[in-house]
Amino acid sequence: RQYRWLRELLDVLEHASGPDEFLEHTKLDMFHDQVFCFSPKGDLIALPRGATPVDFAYAVHSDVGDTCAGAKINGRMMPLRSELQNGDQVEIVTSKAQSPSPEWERFVKTGKARACIRRYIRNEQREQYVDLGRTIVEKSFRTAKRDYTVKALEGVLKSFAKRTLDDLYTAVGEGLISGREVVTRLHPDVRKSRAKSANGVTPRVRKSAKPGANAVPIDGLIPGLAVHYAGCCHPVPGERIVGIVTTGKGVTIHTIDCDSLESFHEQPERWLDVTWHAESAADDMYVGRLNVILNNEPGSLGGLTTIIGRNEGNISNLKFTRRDADFYEMFVDIEVRDVRHLTEIMAALRASSSVNSVRRARS
């Protein structure tokens, strides 16, 4: 046993076709805390044990890592989080449309890969903050009825201890500086006019209505009774509904065709005849849940959210229930005004080529 390593070394030497192969095998045996992988051209790359194709890509070049879209290990497509083994041949598939994912930082092992991923994410976040901050500043100038000019803003950079306009926009986007502060730094009279208006009549601000926050838009209930909307059928105005008295919770509103009503079939005393109030506020929003099967193709999820937004719906929750190579199945909770609004959104989704099917979710 003491000279086992020597016998194994002699065995490698006997079966090796040449010195290069002998050197390759001896290196793999000597460095147990490392893995040695090969590029398609035969270049040897040393990585820490547990390294993944993403680490390999960044070891080749930073640009290769940033555009890494997939990896072939020994000729087979494998997940990017796969652990590399000694002697693996790794081919990185790149795409100009690909960019580093924050998820990569969870499984990479090399410092270079982690640093490159973090740098890219920081730069992306900064660009988003710059765009957001610029929008906030422009809107603040319009609200104050003042002219927005880049040259004027450059004159106040020192007062905010910023070197560039992008630095200022970033601070505004992050919420460190308000858009109004930027306006008042250029136009101090805006602050005075604001203080003056505060002593007068305060303009009325319209608040967004929340169902159940004040008056309940349902007829047939005792005033002050607690009301909940069932999560199994997600009723919305325009649908036929029924109320079920729930101990300790008040009344739960279900659609008339909800499957869960079967459990109350022998308890007629708990049923309430209710209807939607004819004069309920038009800006109240209710959650309707859809079951959507979406084609698994680039841009399909973005197209779905765009369609919902264009039809004035707001996604409050999205949950994937099944994924495979061809389709995604998901629940999408959408804030809508009534059943007609929800139906319009469903019709728009069905018209999309990337949507396989859409139906009301019943759980």
Side-chain angles (χ1 to χ4, degrees):
R1 286 183 296 180
Q2 185 177 359
Y3 297 104
R4 180 181 175 182
W5 66 273
L6 182 58
R7 287 198 302 273
E8 291 178 351
L9 195 63
L10 291 172
D11 188 56
V12 170
L13 182 60
E14 182 180 351
H15 292 90
S17 60
D20 291 339
E21 186 176 346
F22 171 71
L23 183 62
E24 170 193 331
H25 287 291
T26 52
K27 274 187 175 182
L28 296 180
D29 287 336
M30 289 172 63
F31 298 96
H32 295 290
D33 59 338
Q34 290 181 298
V35 290
F36 294 87
C37 301
F38 299 90
S39 71
K41 294 182 179 180
D43 296 326
L44 182 67
I45 294 180
L47 297 166
R49 186 161 296 279
T52 65
V54 176
D55 295 292
F56 184 93
Y58 278 107
V60 174
H61 197 279
S62 297
D63 292 340
V64 176
D66 287 344
T67 57
C68 175
K72 289 183 179 179
I73 301 177
N74 301 323
R76 293 179 56 195
M77 287 296 298
M78 298 291 288
L80 290 178
R81 59 172 61 245
S82 303
E83 288 192 11
L84 299 177
Q85 304 298 323
N86 275 326
D88 282 346
Q89 185 190 67
V90 184
E91 179 183 352
I92 302 299
V93 180
T94 61
S95 170
K96 293 181 180 180
Q98 181 63 33
S99 59
S101 168
E103 294 292 324
W104 292 358
E105 194 178 346
R106 297 183 181 182
F107 56 77
V108 295
K109 297 297 181 182
T110 59
K112 179 179 180 181
R114 187 170 287 107
C116 289
I117 294 167
R118 288 177 178 174
R119 181 193 63 208
Y120 181 85
I121 293 172
R122 282 197 304 268
N123 291 339
E124 283 292 297
Q125 288 177 339
R126 178 177 169 82
E127 289 180 11
Q128 293 173 5
Y129 283 136
V130 167
D131 293 338
L132 177 60
R134 185 185 295 108
T135 302
I136 292 173
V137 170
E138 291 176 355
K139 185 177 180 181
S140 298
F141 272 87
R142 287 197 302 270
T143 303
K145 298 180 180 179
R146 296 293 190 275
D147 292 333
Y148 167 81
T149 60
V150 171
K151 188 174 182 179
L153 282 181
E154 290 175 344
V156 296
L157 288 177
K158 289 185 178 179
S159 64
F160 286 107
K162 304 298 179 185
R163 291 186 301 173
T164 65
L165 276 179
D166 283 353
D167 292 338
L168 179 61
Y169 292 142
T170 301
V172 174
E174 290 178 347
L176 303 177
I177 301 173
S178 69
R180 190 170 187 84
E181 285 182 72
V182 178
V183 176
T184 54
R185 194 64 59 94
L186 274 170
H187 305 281
D189 56 306
V190 173
R191 182 180 295 143
K192 294 178 182 178
S193 62
R194 184 186 180 189
K196 184 177 180 180
S197 63
N199 296 326
V201 179
T202 304
R204 184 178 179 181
V205 179
R206 183 177 177 273
K207 296 182 179 179
S208 59
K210 294 182 180 179
N214 297 306
V216 178
I218 294 177
D219 291 332
L221 295 179
I222 301 171
L225 193 64
V227 175
H228 304 274
Y229 299 96
C232 50
C233 54
H234 294 275
V236 294
E239 294 184 294
R240 293 182 62 194
I241 55 175
V242 65
I244 299 295
V245 178
T246 308
T247 304
K249 293 185 178 180
V251 176
T252 303
I253 306 299
H254 294 262
T255 59
I256 199 68
D257 59 348
C258 180
D259 293 339
S260 61
L261 292 177
E262 292 182 6
S263 60
F264 304 102
H265 182 69
E266 297 180 358
Q267 298 173 295
E269 70 280 0
R270 299 179 62 178
W271 292 59
L272 294 177
D273 186 15
V274 294
T275 57
W276 294 102
H277 197 293
E279 299 179 357
S280 59
D283 55 356
D284 282 352
M285 302 300 283
Y286 302 82
V287 175
R289 174 169 290 183
L290 300 182
N291 183 283
V292 181
I293 298 179
L294 194 65
N295 295 337
N296 185 2
E297 58 188 20
S300 59
L301 184 59
L304 178 139
T305 58
T306 300
I307 291 171
I308 293 173
R310 285 177 179 172
N311 286 272
E312 301 180 357
N314 180 48
I315 297 176
S316 59
N317 190 32
L318 190 149
K319 179 182 179 181
F320 289 95
T321 57
R322 184 171 63 89
R323 305 183 188 188
D324 57 36
D326 299 316
F327 300 104
Y328 287 143
E329 186 170 357
M330 67 191 78
F331 286 135
V332 186
D333 291 349
I334 308 173
E335 294 179 356
V336 294
R337 294 183 296 274
D338 49 32
V339 69
R340 181 178 179 180
H341 186 194
L342 183 60
T343 303
E344 290 173 353
I345 292 176
M346 292 174 67
L349 289 173
R350 289 191 179 110
S352 172
S353 59
S354 61
V355 177
N356 185 272
S357 69
V358 182
R359 58 184 174 85
R360 289 288 299 276
R362 305 292 188 185
S363 57

